[in-house]
Amino acid sequence: MARHDGKADVIVLGGGLGGCMAALAAAKLGMKVIMTEETDWIGGQLTSQSVPPDEHPWIESFGCTRTYREFRDRVRRYYKDNYPLHEAANNDERLNPGNGWVSRLCHEPKVALHVLESMLAPYTSSGRISVWLGWKVESAATANDRIESVTVGHASDGSLRTLRGSIYMDATECGDLLPLAGVEYVSGAESRRDTGEPHALDEADPLDMQSFTFVFALDYVEQGDFTIDKPQQYEYWRTLVPPFSRFPLFGWKMGDIHDPSQVKEIKFFPDGKEPMPFWTYRRIIDRSLFEDGLFASDITLINWAQNDYYLGPIYEVSDEERQNHLEGARQQSLSLVYWLQTEAPRPDGGKGYPGLRLRGDVLGTEDGIAKAPYIRESRRIKARYTVTENDVSVEVRGKQGIRRYEDSVGVGSYHLDLHTTTKSNRGFFIPSLPYEIPLGALLPVRVKNMLPACKNIGTTQIANGCYRLHPTEWNIGESAGYLAGYAIANRISPHEARDDPQHLEAFLTVLREQGIETRWPDHL
């Protein structure tokens, strides 16, 4: 083995939530793990992409894995141990540091990073998990329906390393390993003919993907002026009226997501009347909870429809097109900042809030824009079982209730939430039932030693709308990591763990012993 190569039982490619939990689970079963991550922060959605956790209403009591609940408890404990909170906040068992209304636990990305690193610490310190930051998947060698090695490259110097293991796990944000390793997959939108879904397109379009977003952080110093330089593409974005809307993209008016014929106007700052203003939507610091004077302002994250980039995808396209769309999305977010600072209508009849300040320090960046774009949709494996809209939609399932699977490896719940897509410009917010995660959706149809551990499991584009959220990605990665460890320990393939009834029952027992809920309570 060359000096710069790596060898382990399990190779995890991607250090987002799914990747971290895949690595942790495999390590708990005694496996040696190498986990690579393209950025310099592990944690994906919660950290480098800067999105507080989207969760279901029962999350405080049930409906997630033991480790996910531990993560949430540790976040709250971190604030109570390290921040001067007012007494009421310090005594609040369900402390929400930002009091954002999108989540019961709106918190700073850097706190999530700290907690994730501390959860991995026993295994990184012992050497059982090696975390390689700044490494991206470049190629893969395969033979006889198996991956033999994966080569990763480092962005800083272009150096390459070859990784070898028994099982390879794709936890990248876009399913980058799949095409490189020849794993059968789909991207974008499927057709109604292929999936039988009521809301699928008449014809499949692999480039019709959900929009992605460059999140940014703001605070507000009322008498200050932190106006940024006018972004290069500002005139385009400030005048844009999307083809799917009657209103300019930058503005407070929009069609209601439940009834586009109805006009909805949202306030920016709280006014005592609007229950869900933009400012508190993804607020991560509510300064009123902390010692007086500690924070000059609340801090909020901006992840709105106004900075969802829908003009094109960043995978399944040329590198030139990818870079153009990434830059366009950054320009869109910077243009939104500039519009808020200079032209956003104020209740007093004026325009702009120059006291809005980009907070790059909150996100670990110089410009205030998140380290990585928030990716809602990945390439998805062609799996032994593919979850569709028909498995989760309230409208389709009716009185049948929750779709149960004998091979369930976890649970989750969220609306079928699709943000505007790049070609058809569709968007959905379809009521759904709580759902289970079938093991068959984690098993590629052909390749024997590769597992998905992120948003790349066997779902359709529409079903991905609920299976993509934080607790579900966490559960997918954790269950996949245990599957890898179980298969290696028992000298079987992951597929055999499902196909053999004795192994399936033994594996599901391992999951339950590790605190993974595989069934929703019957009363739901």
Side-chain angles (χ1 to χ4, degrees), residues 32 44 54 56 114 124 165 187 216 226 266 294 302 331 478 515:
K32 185 175 181 181
D54 293 298
H56 57 71
H114 171 84
T124 55
S187 68
F216 54 91
F226 304 98
I266 300 180
L294 178 65
I302 308 302
Q331 282 286 314
E478 190 169 0

Side-chain angles (χ1 to χ4, degrees), residues 118-393:
S118 69
M119 292 178 74
L120 296 180
Y123 302 99
T124 55
S125 293
S126 67
R128 195 174 290 177
I129 296 176
S130 297
V131 179
W132 294 16
L133 298 175
W135 292 89
K136 179 182 178 181
V137 184
E138 297 289 349
S139 64
T142 63
N144 301 319
D145 298 336
R146 297 180 64 84
I147 299 174
E148 294 191 328
S149 67
V150 170
T151 298
V152 294
H154 201 280
S156 64
D157 59 12
S159 60
L160 299 175
R161 295 188 183 183
T162 298
L163 306 178
R164 293 179 174 85
S166 296
I167 291 181
Y168 299 82
M169 308 189 72
D170 185 347
T172 62
E173 297 299 325
C174 299
D176 294 336
L177 178 62
L178 305 184
L180 298 174
V183 179
E184 290 81 2
Y185 69 92
V186 296
S187 68
E190 297 91 347
S191 72
R192 190 177 304 113
R193 179 178 60 254
D194 290 336
T195 68
E197 296 172 304
H199 289 89
L201 292 176
D202 291 334
E203 298 295 332
D205 189 337
L207 293 181
D208 191 27
M209 304 175 195
Q210 285 191 74
S211 51
F212 66 93
T213 305
F214 269 112
V215 179
F216 54 91
L218 292 176
D219 68 3
Y220 182 58
V221 181
E222 190 168 359
Q223 303 305 318
D225 186 349
F226 304 98
T227 306
I228 64 173
D229 293 337
K230 185 177 180 179
Q232 184 178 357
Q233 296 180 16
Y234 180 67
E235 293 304 325
Y236 171 80
W237 291 108
R238 71 174 288 273
T239 60
L240 178 65
V241 178
F244 50 85
S245 174
R246 294 168 287 161
F247 307 105
L249 182 64
F250 290 176
W252 306 134
K253 292 182 179 180
M254 61 190 68
D256 190 293
I257 193 167
H258 302 290
D259 183 0
S261 68
Q262 299 298 311
V263 178
K264 187 173 184 179
E265 183 169 356
I266 300 180
K267 303 297 183 183
F268 180 38
F269 282 121
D271 64 356
K273 300 176 183 178
E274 167 62 55
M276 296 186 290
F278 275 129
W279 183 255
T280 56
Y281 178 34
R282 293 186 183 274
R283 184 175 58 184
I284 53 173
I285 288 292
D286 176 356
R287 66 173 177 169
S288 71
L289 300 180
F290 300 85
E291 185 179 273
D292 294 349
L294 178 65
F295 288 98
S297 162
D298 295 345
I299 303 173
T300 194
L301 296 174
I302 308 302
N303 175 14
W304 302 344
Q306 287 88 337
N307 59 327
D308 277 359
Y309 184 88
Y310 67 90
L311 298 186
I314 55 173
Y315 58 93
E316 299 294 295
V317 294
S318 68
D319 187 61
E320 180 182 6
E321 186 171 348
R322 168 184 167 83
Q323 294 304 324
N324 285 340
H325 289 314
L326 285 171
E327 177 58 24
R330 292 183 66 85
Q331 282 286 314
Q332 180 180 358
S333 285
L334 288 169
S335 295
L336 179 56
V337 175
Y338 189 77
W339 179 82
L340 288 168
Q341 292 174 326
T342 62
E343 293 195 73
R346 299 196 311 258
D348 63 5
K351 291 185 177 182
Y353 298 89
L356 290 170
R357 175 171 57 177
L358 277 169
R359 291 294 303 272
D361 56 316
V362 173
L363 308 184
T365 64
E366 292 186 7
D367 61 4
I369 306 295
K371 289 175 178 287
Y374 175 34
I375 306 294
R376 296 181 175 87
E377 183 179 314
S378 172
R379 299 177 180 93
R380 306 176 299 280
I381 65 166
K382 289 187 177 180
R384 288 285 187 88
Y385 184 86
T386 299
V387 181
T388 73
E389 175 188 0
N390 300 327
D391 291 319
V392 291
S393 167

Side-chain angles (χ1 to χ4, degrees), residues 406-409 439 486 492 496-512:
E406 291 184 0
D407 63 345
S408 171
V409 295
L439 176 56
Y486 179 89
I492 61 172
E496 290 175 272
R498 178 178 185 252
D499 295 341
D500 183 306
Q502 289 184 319
H503 275 303
L504 177 59
E505 182 53 38
F507 172 61
L508 295 179
T509 298
V510 169
L511 294 186
R512 292 166 190 143

Side-chain angles (χ1 to χ4, degrees), residues 60-102:
E60 301 285 3
S61 304
F62 56 86
C64 66
T65 74
R66 182 191 299 154
T67 56
Y68 187 74
R69 184 158 292 112
E70 177 188 348
F71 166 81
R72 300 176 88 257
D73 291 343
R74 286 192 184 211
V75 167
R76 287 171 169 149
R77 177 48 52 196
Y78 187 87
Y79 279 95
K80 293 182 180 185
D81 286 348
N82 296 287
Y83 288 61
L85 292 158
H86 287 309
E87 185 177 1
N90 194 57
N91 293 333
D92 186 355
E93 292 183 358
R94 296 187 175 182
L95 173 69
N96 187 347
N99 275 331
W101 52 266
V102 73

